[in-house]
Amino acid sequence: MKNILLIGLGRFGKHVAYQLNELGHEVMAVDENESGQKQSKKRGKKGNKRQKDDGKKTRRQENGGQEDRREEDCRQKDGGEDHDEKDQQTGGGGRRSARKEDRREEDCRQEDNRKEDKHEVRGQKDRGERRELMQVTVIGAGLAGCEAAWQLAQRGIAVTLHEMKPEKTTPAHHTADFAELCCSNSLRSDQIENAVGLLKEELRRLDSLILACADATRVEAGGALAVDRYGFSKLVTEKIRSHPNITVVPGEVTAIPEGNVIIASGPLTSDALAAAIAEKIGDGHTLNFFDAAAPLVTFESVDMDSAFFASRYDKGTAEYINCAMTEEKYDAFWQALTTAEETSVHGFEDKNVFEGCMPVEVMARRGHDTLCYGPLKPRGLRDPKTGKEPYAVVQLRRDNAQGSVYNLVGFQTHLRFPEQKRVFSMIPALHDAEFVRYGVMHRNTYLRSPGMLDRYYRLIADDRIAFAGQMTGVEGYIESAASGFLAGIEMARRLEGKPPVDFPRETAIGALGLYISDTTVSDFQPMNVNFGIMPPLGYRIKGGKRVKNAQLAARSLEKIDAMREDVLSDRKGE
């Protein structure tokens, strides 16, 4: 132990004295601001209380001499200066006066400590109430829910994220990770001349979690952004679980919680929560359609003597496996597909499917050559063995980074599993295919959003509640993430007392929000982002559709860049 003289009891000085005391040193601290150069001796931890008193006295002096006024009040209570003068006139009374003076100072100091302690407790309570108001519950850890939770957390909002997996799952779910890709592993085009490619670029420039994770786990897919299905979900899960402002709570939510809520439970919302939503918004405001997923096969089971690597029109790298079919092989396949036995799905009819995820057998029933103009289209694909375009081509796209698993592009189905094995094995390159996952169909629920949700995905009748994801009527992985992005940042801005960010219709983000809230839409259906819901340029463009779309994209990104600083201004980081 050492004896140390410390001059100055400012904020830094008090911190140093405390640390020295903790180490067992004897500290003599001198506060230069006090009259008479008063000294206080601190011995180990026993000096902490006196240090606290001296620190508080220093703050009192810095606040304009309030200490002097308090001491004056104390003197007046005990007879004031007249009493001191009388003691001095009586000779030996000076020592008694000094002791009384010390007692008065101690009494005043204790009173000040009590007042400051009360003020500190009151301040902590006020801060606690503010934190209570700055909390949001997010239901569902899909793409929309994770994006919403991330944007809120990055802005300093405390988020409680509820996810029913792994305690409860659906036929479309296969892992316990967040942001699971239930259908394809492709996030579609990554070219800004395509509307979904533009939407991706907007979200990239605004620091989207989903786009960052997708870019980090992408696999080659020509001009599309495809990801390692499991690597992507794992990365999103790690990001969400490691964020200090996000608390993950597993288990099913059966009622809409109190407080600020973003419901992103997806098209596979559990029956109990769906009933609670229906009760909140009223009957007749929910609709549904049927969606399907494609099967997966192992690469080593594909007969590459009957297939070849290529991308359509040689765009990007040759990452697709193309399974060629002659007219004779195609005809036999079509006959088997249209007569195969299907799984019974309650309420399912061909007319109730979403066009973008139509089961391949439903599409085949529309006509003999319909598939040749859809998922089996041969245009832009030349078989290197013949130098010609085949009659039909089934494309396989890489499903993971290792390239060990591929999915059948456009082969969403609800055939019975044995029928999938029988019929799809009629494709020449898949005669011995090993199916690691069969296709499934599920019922998707969505809201009749126009007139019920505003452009920020908030419930018009109760703006503490917002919705996000496919249940709002946007369709697609990236569209769902975009709705979660907008719902999250607008919820944060409302809690912070800031005006909303109005993404204009010229942007893909804004156009989606304005579509789902457009009360003039008479037959509301789920929709992918497209340039048709964005205003035209207002002038003619030479060079065709691609050049025109590039101009529309440039206009949008110019607006996004102008808004970027405002959108990201309240981010506080991880």
Side-chain angles (χ1 to χ4, degrees):
M1 184 181 72
K2 296 181 180 180
N3 295 324
I4 299 175
L5 175 63
L6 178 65
I7 301 176
L9 277 175
R11 181 179 300 175
F12 181 73
K14 289 181 288 183
H15 176 72
V16 171
Y18 176 79
Q19 296 297 329
L20 290 171
N21 286 332
E22 289 293 302
L23 294 173
H25 298 300
E26 182 176 329
V27 179
M28 179 70 74
V30 178
D31 188 350
E32 294 181 315
N33 294 325
E34 291 200 24
S35 61
Q37 295 290 313
K38 293 183 180 178
Q39 299 180 353
S40 62
K41 207 170 190 179
K42 302 172 180 60
R43 298 180 182 272
K45 295 183 179 180
K46 293 181 180 180
N48 289 346
K49 182 179 183 301
R50 186 66 181 272
Q51 179 185 357
K52 178 180 176 181
D53 294 342
D54 291 336
K56 291 180 178 179
K57 191 168 184 179
T58 301
R59 290 195 296 272
R60 289 196 297 272
Q61 289 180 334
E62 292 173 352
N63 290 333
Q66 295 179 6
E67 168 67 12
D68 295 337
R69 289 194 293 273
R70 292 191 187 98
E71 289 184 358
E72 178 65 23
D73 292 340
C74 289
R75 289 194 196 95
Q76 291 177 358
K77 290 178 182 178
D78 290 333
E81 293 183 359
D82 291 340
H83 182 75
D84 293 340
E85 292 176 359
K86 189 180 296 182
D87 283 343
Q88 291 174 0
Q89 291 174 0
T90 58
R95 288 188 296 273
R96 289 191 298 274
S97 176
R99 287 195 295 271
K100 291 180 179 180
E101 174 67 19
D102 290 340
R103 285 197 299 271
R104 285 197 296 270
E105 288 185 7
E106 180 63 26
D107 292 342
C108 287
R109 184 180 293 110
Q110 291 177 357
E111 182 180 354
D112 292 337
N113 288 341
R114 286 193 296 271
K115 289 180 179 179
E116 292 201 18
D117 288 342
K118 288 180 180 179
H119 177 74
E120 184 176 355
V121 170
R122 188 163 55 249
Q124 290 174 347
K125 182 179 180 182
D126 292 341
R127 289 192 296 273
E129 290 173 350
R130 286 195 295 272
R131 284 195 296 270
E132 186 73 22
L133 294 175
M134 298 285 275
Q135 293 183 353
V136 175
T137 299
V138 177
I139 303 174
L143 281 81
C146 286
E147 187 69 62
W150 182 263
Q151 296 303 328
L152 286 160
Q154 288 290 82
R155 287 160 174 80
I157 308 297
V159 179
T160 300
L161 177 60
H162 292 267
E163 170 54 49
M164 69 179 186
K165 296 190 305 180
E167 294 184 7
K168 185 172 184 177
T169 62
T170 72
H173 293 123
H174 300 276
T175 77
D177 286 336
F178 302 158
E180 184 176 358
L181 303 180
C182 294
C183 297
S184 170
N185 72 316
S186 173
L187 279 57
R188 310 193 337 265
S189 175
D190 203 26
Q191 310 298 308
I192 63 171
E193 295 84 6
N194 185 296
V196 74
L198 170 61
L199 182 59
K200 291 185 184 74
E201 185 58 27
E202 290 182 3
L203 291 170
R204 278 192 189 98
R205 297 189 183 193
L206 298 174
D207 294 350
S208 158
L209 170 69
I210 295 302
L211 260 296
C213 292
D215 287 336
T217 58
R218 72 183 300 155
V219 296
E220 288 300 329
L225 173 58
V227 300
D228 180 326
R229 181 188 303 271
Y230 301 111
F232 168 76
S233 296
K234 182 179 179 181
L235 182 57
V236 174
T237 304
E238 291 173 352
K239 290 283 189 180
I240 291 294
R241 287 191 178 278
S242 63
H243 201 295
N245 292 336
I246 300 176
T247 301
V248 177
V249 178
E252 180 184 4
V253 175
T254 59
I256 299 176
E258 295 297 323
N260 301 292
V261 185
I262 295 179
I263 301 174
S265 48
L268 300 176
T269 297
S270 67
D271 291 342
L273 182 57
I277 294 172
E279 182 180 0
K280 177 69 177 179
I281 64 178
D283 292 335
H285 289 286
T286 60
L287 304 168
N288 64 77
F289 65 94
F290 289 87
D291 200 356
L296 304 177
V297 298
T298 62
F299 171 70
E300 63 181 7
S301 69
V302 178
D303 180 8
M304 292 305 296
D305 289 337
S306 301
F308 59 94
F309 279 101
S311 290
R312 199 178 301 276
Y313 301 109
D314 295 323
K315 288 184 179 179
T317 56
E319 295 292 337
Y320 284 85
I321 296 176
N322 299 275
C323 307
M325 299 180 75
T326 64
E327 183 175 3
E328 181 183 5
K329 293 288 187 182
Y330 174 80
D331 184 66
F333 170 76
W334 180 81
Q335 292 285 352
L337 181 62
T338 54
T339 58
E341 186 178 356
E342 299 171 330
T343 300
S344 177
V345 181
H346 177 68
F348 173 76
E349 297 177 11
D350 286 3
K351 66 180 180 180
N352 289 335
V353 298
F354 176 61
E355 291 287 328
C357 288
M358 180 180 296
V360 65
E361 62 273 12
V362 174
M363 188 181 298
R365 285 195 287 266
R366 294 185 173 185
H368 180 273
D369 289 335
T370 301
L371 294 177
C372 294
Y373 293 92
L376 275 69
K377 180 173 64 176
R379 292 292 300 274
L381 295 168
R382 291 188 178 274
D383 188 338
K385 293 185 179 67
T386 65
K388 299 179 181 179
E389 290 182 353
Y391 185 82
V393 174
V394 175
Q395 286 196 305
L396 310 181
R397 182 179 54 241
R398 183 186 295 193
D399 200 72
N400 61 8
Q402 295 76 26
S404 60
V405 177
Y406 279 73
N407 69 66
L408 280 66
V409 178
F411 269 61
Q412 297 86 1
T413 182
H414 77 301
L415 296 181
R416 295 181 62 246
F417 290 175
E419 290 288 79
Q420 292 185 43
K421 173 70 173 176
R422 178 181 70 84
V423 175
F424 298 153
S425 294
M426 296 175 69
I427 299 168
L430 301 182
H431 56 83
D432 289 326
E434 177 188 359
F435 289 84
V436 295
R437 189 191 77 181
Y438 288 105
V440 293
M441 171 163 278
H442 48 270
R443 176 173 173 162
N444 285 358
T445 300
Y446 67 100
L447 307 175
R448 195 188 300 273
S449 295
M452 184 174 66
L453 303 182
D454 65 15
R455 62 186 295 180
Y456 315 112
Y457 300 90
R458 298 180 304 201
L459 188 62
I460 295 173
D462 188 352
D463 67 3
R464 72 179 179 86
I465 300 174
F467 289 85
Q470 283 186 266
M471 68 189 315
T472 66
V474 301
E475 175 59 31
Y477 292 143
I478 299 302
E479 290 87 342
S480 295
S483 68
F485 172 86
L486 184 52
I489 64 171
E490 291 308 322
M491 179 76 77
R493 291 179 74 93
R494 182 174 66 82
L495 294 178
E496 293 169 346
K498 296 180 179 180
V501 177
D502 289 332
F503 286 89
R505 193 181 295 273
E506 289 81 1
T507 65
I509 295 173
L512 276 174
L514 289 165
Y515 168 72
I516 65 96
S517 60
D518 186 355
T519 55
T520 66
V521 177
S522 57
D523 183 21
F524 183 69
Q525 296 290 329
M527 183 180 288
N528 294 119
V529 66
N530 60 84
F531 286 116
I533 60 175
M534 302 169 70
L537 291 170
Y539 52 87
R540 296 182 64 85
I541 292 291
K542 294 182 180 181
K545 181 179 178 181
R546 187 175 180 83
V547 176
K548 182 190 72 174
N549 290 349
Q551 289 288 318
L552 290 169
R555 180 185 67 179
S556 170
L557 294 177
E558 182 179 355
K559 292 184 179 296
I560 290 294
D561 288 342
M563 302 170 65
R564 186 175 189 275
E565 183 177 355
D566 184 31
V567 173
L568 302 181
S569 62
D570 53 352
R571 287 170 61 102
K572 297 173 175 61
E574 294 186 39

